[in-house]
């Protein structure tokens, strides 16, 4: 595979930087549109990567899990708890 080692090293680093900047709860440039869009791109790319690598069942499982967990995170009860746990004491 061309560039396989460099891609294996740089891709995770790029994902961490993108997540830190746009998707994490304390992201400097996150927001109500940017944060979910970044999550879709990151998880979508991971699912596509698994699919292309021939791990079809894992790609589908990750896609289903990602949709479910992010949908559950939008429930008012979960938002309330996450705000309570994330607040400074």
């Amino acid at each position: 595979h061309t560039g396989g080692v460099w891609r294996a090293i740089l891709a995770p680093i790029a994902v961490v930087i993108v997540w830190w900047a746009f998707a994490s709860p304390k992201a400097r440039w996150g927001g109500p549109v940017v944060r979910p869009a970044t999550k879709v791109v990151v998880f979508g790319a991971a699912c596509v990567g698994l699919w292309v690598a021939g791990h079809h069942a894992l790609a589908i499982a990750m896609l289903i899990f990602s949709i479910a967990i992010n949908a559950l995170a939008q429930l008012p009860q979960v938002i309330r708890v996450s705000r309570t746990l994330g607040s400074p004491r």
Side-chain angles (χ1 to χ4, degrees):
H1 301 298
T2 305
V5 172
W6 285 110
R7 210 175 302 148
I9 294 169
L10 295 177
I13 293 170
V15 168
V16 167
I17 291 169
V18 167
W19 195 271
W20 167 80
F22 301 108
S24 74
K26 295 182 181 181
R28 172 174 247 161
W29 298 287
V33 175
V34 174
R35 185 171 286 117
T38 302
K39 289 180 180 184
V40 167
V41 169
V42 168
F43 284 110
C47 291
V48 168
L50 285 169
W51 187 272
V52 169
H55 301 290
H56 300 155
L58 287 174
I60 293 168
M62 183 171 179
L63 178 65
I64 292 169
F65 178 77
S66 298
I67 291 170
I69 203 73
N70 283 292
L72 289 172
Q74 301 307 311
L75 293 174
Q77 306 92 308
V78 176
I79 292 171
R80 196 170 32 249
V81 168
S82 69
R83 287 185 181 150
T84 302
L85 293 175
S87 64
R89 295 174 194 227

